[in-house]
Every structure is written in C-alpha cells, then in structure tokens.
Amino acid sequence: MGMKIVIVSHFYPPLNKVPSQRVYQTAKAFISEGHEVIVLTTEKLKSDGPLTYEVGGLNNVELFELKYPSFLNGFLKKATNPATHECVKEVKRSSSSSGFLISSLKSLKGKVSSFYDVHELCVNGLDSFFEKHSNYDVIISSYSPSWSHVIASKLKMKNNSAYWLADYRDLWTHNHAKSVGYFFRELGLKKEKNIINKADSLTTVSEGFKRKLEQIHEKSVTVIYNGFDSDELKSSLAIDNLTIDNLFGFNGELITISYVGTLYFPHQSPIALFKLLQKLKLSNKPLYNKLRINFVGRNNDRVVDLAHEYEVSDCIKVFSPVSKSESNYIMYKSDFSLLIDWRTLYEGVIPAKAYEYMNLAKAVLFLGGMQKKKSECYNILTPSGKVCYLDESSSVDDFFAVLNKRQTYTTNEECKNYVDSFERKVLANKMVDIVNDKS
C-alpha cells in the first residue's frame, strides 16, 4: 500500500533554479513507486528567480503553497506566473555606484541568515494544510532555505509517528557561501540543532558535508549526490538555436569556453584564467584572437570589471541569465565548459552544474582553487574522462596544451557507466530506498 509523502521545499518547478531539479526528481521517484505526494512550498517572490522551469508528467502531485502575511504585501514583490522569458542580453560595464549598496545589503543578509531567513515568514495556510492532511507517513524537507526544515519540524510535532528525512543540499549554520557573524552563527547553530534533533535521518550531497553534519548533529548521514536529467538535456538539444550560436561564437571558427551560472565572489574567481589570457595575448596573439570566453548568469558584473582590468575584454562576453534549455544548449555546444572551484578550504562544495558538465560537455576546463587532492568536486569529475586542469600555478604552455587537446577528449565504456550513475532518477531512488527501509 502506498504512503502519503509530504515534501517540504521552497524550490520546486516552475521556479527555475537548480535545486528544483533535485526536489522534482524526488517527487517523481515516489510517484513511480505508487506513493501519494504532496509538495508543500512557498509563495514565490520576484527575487526568488524566474518561473520558467516547465516539467511534465506530475499532474498527480498536489502542490500546496503557503503565503506571506498580508501586511507584507506592500514590501514584497511577488513573482508572476507564468513569467515570460526575456531574450539573451549581453551585460556591459556599468558606471553605477548602486552595486556597493546591493552588495552591502547581501552581506548583511548573509550575516544573519543562519539564525533567521525571510522565507520563515511564509506560514499562512499551514493550519489549512493540517486540516486537509492530518495523516501523512513521511516528511522530506530540502534545505535551503531554513524555512523547509522549520516547517518540517512543525509537521513532525503535529504527527510524531511520521518519518522525517531532512535533506541538506547546502550546510545551514556553516554555509560555505555566507559570511555569518559569530553571534548569529551561534544562535543559528543552537536553532539548527534543536530543529534537526527531531529528524529521523539526514541526507546530503557530498562526503565533505556529511562529515560536518555528523560532527554537528551526532547522527549518521547518507550521501545522495546531485546529478543530471538526461531526458531533459536531450530535449534541449533537439533543435539548433541560431541566435545562441551567433551570440556565443558557435561558428566552428572560435574556440569557445563557457561558464553557465552564478559566480560567488570572492570564493570563486576567474582571475587565474584572466591572467593566463593576458599572457597568451602577449605571446600568441593569433591563438588569443580565436578564443571566446562566455559567462552566463546572475551577478556577473564583476566579471566585466575584471575583464577590463586584465585587458582581455575583447575575448570575453558576459550575458544575462538564460532558460534551462538554453543553458544546456550552451554547455553542449561549447568546446570547453568552465568550472571554477571554491578557492577557500570548504570541504564538500560541488556545484550542481558539475554533473551536467559531466554528461553534456565535450570537455571540462577545471579552474582549481583549493589544493587539487582536497577538492571533492575535482575527484568526482575526473573519472568522467573529460577534465583538464588549470590553476594559478599554470603556465601559458599549460594553457596552450589544454586548448590544443580540445578535440581529443573521448570517453570509454567505463567512463560512460560512471557518468550514468549520476542520473537524477537513479539518485532519487536512493532516497526512496531509505524511506522504504526505515518507515
């Protein structure tokens, strides 16, 4: 007999963010096993991202959306659904000083985020949910934001017999992308421990995060990596996109290197690559003139500034965010997909795009940050057979050798089998197995 599964997640289609894919595939896996699935999610704000992630085949999932308090209506900009997708736009250098104010506000938000997040205000409608769904067998919550684990703890208190699996896509208190002040970190840690103490099991996305979570919560943690959806990727490549081809230099004449996604300065930085480009411009101008480096995503203004600072802006193009299908197409068409590793020693940081690169990219130019042997991201990618490595110690000759090898990256059957093991539907079934075994 099927169980009633409540998945608590801020991220879910049509919100077009990478975490939505993990949650969507989890729901899909439980449905295929004959379980009833309710997704409890938040009302979406404009700042959450575009609502352009279209999926099919899950009409039998009930979507229950909690709302923000009405007194906040004048302050919060609600997302519109469906959102129209804008054409790809190139980002030019800006002389505006508003960037400092925005970065300062983001810094302040980061310092308090482990203790409190604005999404935690999104609770209107929870009583109605309990009235409609008083009996549920399993709770699965997906962090971040903290709202998901906070709401899941309320579901657990309401129905203590339900089995609660708390999934960490990122760390909460010790988050690698947030600079949290000591006072708020300690408050946040106390809050996290108190909430997660009620969870029956924990999962996360890397061995590094697993070690940290086991140290904090003194509970066993299971690793379920992120992955890729091959069906979704195939549909993105069905038709040539001539607009993208022209904008991104996919004409067969240029050597293209593309980064798709947000860069988290100062933790991730393309400076090592820009220094190599600067040297290549002086030593081998013909080869330099054949290069096109594309950066696509949000908050990449800093890339534009750095390109001018290192005098390599003539081969670098920065674009606004694109749709999911367009990003897949860009990865597939590029000679190299660029992956920039974390520069600081945070164990377990594996960008979700690493798995899509593993499946789609012709070759992955891995720009190292921490020591290679300590990078779990590098160690995950290498068996795919597609990785070429550069870092701050690399020479122009190293760069030249990488560029010349762009057409020789081939994968054997062993590599292919390794890559296939990161199919999202395969990984989602691991979460189903945990629930089936322990419920």
Side-chain angles (χ1 to χ4, degrees), residues 70-88:
S70 57
F71 71 84
L72 291 175
N73 287 344
F75 302 94
L76 301 176
K77 290 185 178 180
K78 306 294 177 65
T80 56
N81 189 12
T84 56
H85 173 59
E86 296 182 354
C87 296
V88 183

Side-chain angles (χ1 to χ4, degrees), residues 151-189:
I151 294 296
S153 70
K154 294 180 185 295
L155 268 65
K156 178 69 173 179
M157 285 189 288
K158 198 76 173 178
N159 181 1
N160 191 52
S161 64
Y163 182 85
W164 175 20
L165 186 155
D167 183 41
Y168 280 83
R169 301 183 325 274
D170 291 303
L171 296 182
W172 182 341
T173 305
H174 295 272
N175 191 289
H176 58 280
K178 298 175 183 177
S179 178
V180 180
Y182 175 80
F183 176 72
F184 288 108
R185 183 173 65 245
E186 291 305 303
L187 285 177
L189 183 59

Side-chain angles (χ1 to χ4, degrees), residues 111-176:
K111 290 184 187 302
V112 303
S113 60
S114 67
F115 174 65
Y116 194 81
D117 186 273
V118 68
H119 295 95
E120 291 183 35
L121 293 169
C122 193
V123 295
N124 282 12
L126 191 56
D127 288 341
S128 298
F129 175 84
F130 286 134
E131 288 175 9
K132 186 175 183 181
H133 299 289
S134 57
N135 295 313
Y136 39 86
D137 303 295
V138 177
I139 308 158
I140 298 172
S141 56
S142 179
Y143 178 92
S144 61
S146 54
W147 171 89
S148 58
H149 286 344
V150 171
I151 294 296
S153 70
K154 294 180 185 295
L155 268 65
K156 178 69 173 179
M157 285 189 288
K158 198 76 173 178
N159 181 1
N160 191 52
S161 64
Y163 182 85
W164 175 20
L165 186 155
D167 183 41
Y168 280 83
R169 301 183 325 274
D170 291 303
L171 296 182
W172 182 341
T173 305
H174 295 272
N175 191 289
H176 58 280

